[in-house]
Amino acid sequence: MKTRIVSDSSCDIWNLDEVDFASVPLTISTDERTFIDDENLDVQEMVDYLAHYNSRSHTACPSIDAWLTAFGDADELYVVALTSGLSGTYNSALNAKEMYLETHPDAKVLVIDSLSTSAEQLLIIEKIEELIKLGKSFEEISVAVKDYQQKTHLFFCLKSLHNFAQNGRVPKILAQAVGVLGLNIIGKASESGTVEPIAKCRGQQSIVNTVIAEMKKLNFAGGKVNIAHSHNQKLAEALAESLGKHFPEIQTKIYPTRGLCAYYAEDGALLIGFEG
Ligand code: X90
């Protein structure tokens, strides 16, 4: 029996150690170029190009066909999608499931709306991987993942919401308030999977302190933490180090974002997924 976990490129990983995995790319485009967020994308080259590009850019969710290709011919599929609150990715995955079942009537396909992205989406993927390794059934995993999602969260620290506003995914007025030099917005994925601002701050120490204080408010007590960063290993390490002082047993993973999150989160951002 073939079991596979499938996600989209906003999950920021390429593969898993223990379970078969595939990810479908979103795309980032201008009038001149299209960047497919797959293994051939040079994220830094895209970011540099966009920094000097003065006109509009936009993104698009994966097609149904792209999902179907990633499904391969697996018997059991766990599909973890970018939040439906901001993207058509989840809907496209649901449509792909319907088509897949026409040609694979005995397959089992669970499509999960992460109501989040990046580092929290990865926590969900890793939980599924862990449960598969433990030999849990499809039905058991379906229930357990729903429960797990109740206790995971995503925080982010962004310097700009320009690309969010340009794509109509946050109000312009919010983006203007953040677009002040040196100011960072700390926010979280809301219950409905949209951008929810929490605080504004300036400087590394203030960011780290604010993020940790907010994590504690959501009952963080030393569980797993994933930190994805857009060109900001230094801030990610500062946060991990400070978390380590509060919680000596903590497991923190630090890694760079792929293209889609680099585009929306923009340069210098952190995306923090954690268990509350
Ligand atoms: O074109 C599309 O369908 C893609 C739209 C994607 C929009 C969300 C990308 C999020 C990237 C930025 C910060 C985290 C915000 C999280 C709120 C749930 C990461």
Side-chain angles (χ1 to χ4, degrees):
M1 195 187 64
K2 289 188 201 160
T3 300
R4 177 177 279 195
I5 301 175
V6 181
S7 191
D8 56 73
S9 60
S10 78
C11 72
D12 292 327
I13 58 155
W14 298 103
N15 40 49
L16 290 170
D17 292 339
E18 314 270 353
V19 174
D20 187 28
F21 178 79
S23 61
V24 293
L26 282 93
T27 52
I28 301 107
S29 316
T30 66
D31 287 346
E32 291 167 0
R33 290 182 66 182
T34 293
F35 300 92
I36 301 170
D37 191 12
D38 64 10
E39 62 281 359
N40 299 314
L41 179 67
D42 179 341
V43 176
Q44 196 53 50
E45 193 270 329
M46 177 190 79
V47 168
D48 292 343
Y49 162 80
L50 288 169
H52 297 102
Y53 185 75
N54 287 324
S55 194
R56 294 179 68 85
S57 52
H58 57 271
T59 58
C61 68
S63 65
I64 299 174
D65 270 353
W67 281 114
L68 287 172
T69 305
F71 289 1
D73 61 349
D75 306 291
E76 290 191 355
L77 280 159
Y78 300 90
V79 183
V80 188
L82 170 60
T83 173
S84 66
L86 294 171
S87 172
T89 300
Y90 171 68
N91 239 312
S92 165
L94 281 181
N95 288 328
K97 169 183 173 175
E98 226 167 84
M99 289 185 67
Y100 191 75
L101 291 176
E102 282 171 19
T103 49
H104 302 75
D106 297 326
K108 293 180 178 176
V109 184
L110 176 69
V111 182
I112 299 162
D113 182 353
S114 70
L115 293 171
S116 186
T117 183
S118 184
E120 186 183 2
Q121 200 170 332
L122 180 56
L123 285 176
I124 300 167
I125 292 167
E126 289 170 337
K127 175 56 76 178
I128 297 169
E129 181 188 33
E130 179 191 319
L131 295 167
I132 292 171
K133 269 182 353 202
L134 288 171
K136 300 286 179 200
S137 71
F138 181 86
E139 290 71 22
E140 287 170 320
I141 295 176
S142 306
V143 174
V145 171
K146 261 214 155 69
D147 287 347
Y148 185 64
Q149 280 187 273
Q150 301 303 316
K151 65 169 203 167
T152 59
H153 303 281
L154 181 77
F155 277 165
F156 51 81
C157 168
L158 312 184
K159 286 196 175 77
S160 160
L161 285 169
H162 173 80
N163 287 338
F164 265 109
Q166 181 178 236
N167 282 273
R169 287 176 166 92
V170 298
K172 283 223 161 56
I173 183 104
L174 176 61
Q176 280 158 4
V178 181
V180 177
L181 206 63
L183 202 63
N184 293 268
I185 185 163
I186 311 288
K188 65 176 178 184
S190 71
E191 301 263 306
S192 53
T194 56
V195 174
E196 184 175 323
I198 298 175
K200 288 182 202 130
C201 43
R202 226 179 264 275
Q204 180 167 298
Q205 202 50 53
S206 159
I207 293 170
V208 167
N209 293 344
T210 307
V211 168
I212 295 179
E214 292 296 331
M215 287 170 75
K216 286 182 175 169
K217 281 190 202 164
L218 290 180
N219 303 322
F220 179 73
K224 223 172 131 181
V225 183
N226 287 335
I227 307 177
H229 68 90
S230 172
H231 212 202
N232 204 349
Q233 178 87 17
K234 188 169 160 264
L235 181 58
E237 280 172 3
L239 176 61
E241 196 189 313
S242 198
L243 280 167
K245 285 185 191 144
H246 290 74
F247 305 99
E249 303 291 301
I250 197 172
Q251 300 172 41
T252 314
K253 182 155 73 190
I254 297 177
Y255 51 96
T257 63
R258 289 175 56 178
L260 194 272
C261 288
Y263 172 77
Y264 277 103
E266 302 192 38
D267 210 36
L270 293 191
L271 296 153
I272 307 131
F274 64 97
E275 297 176 341

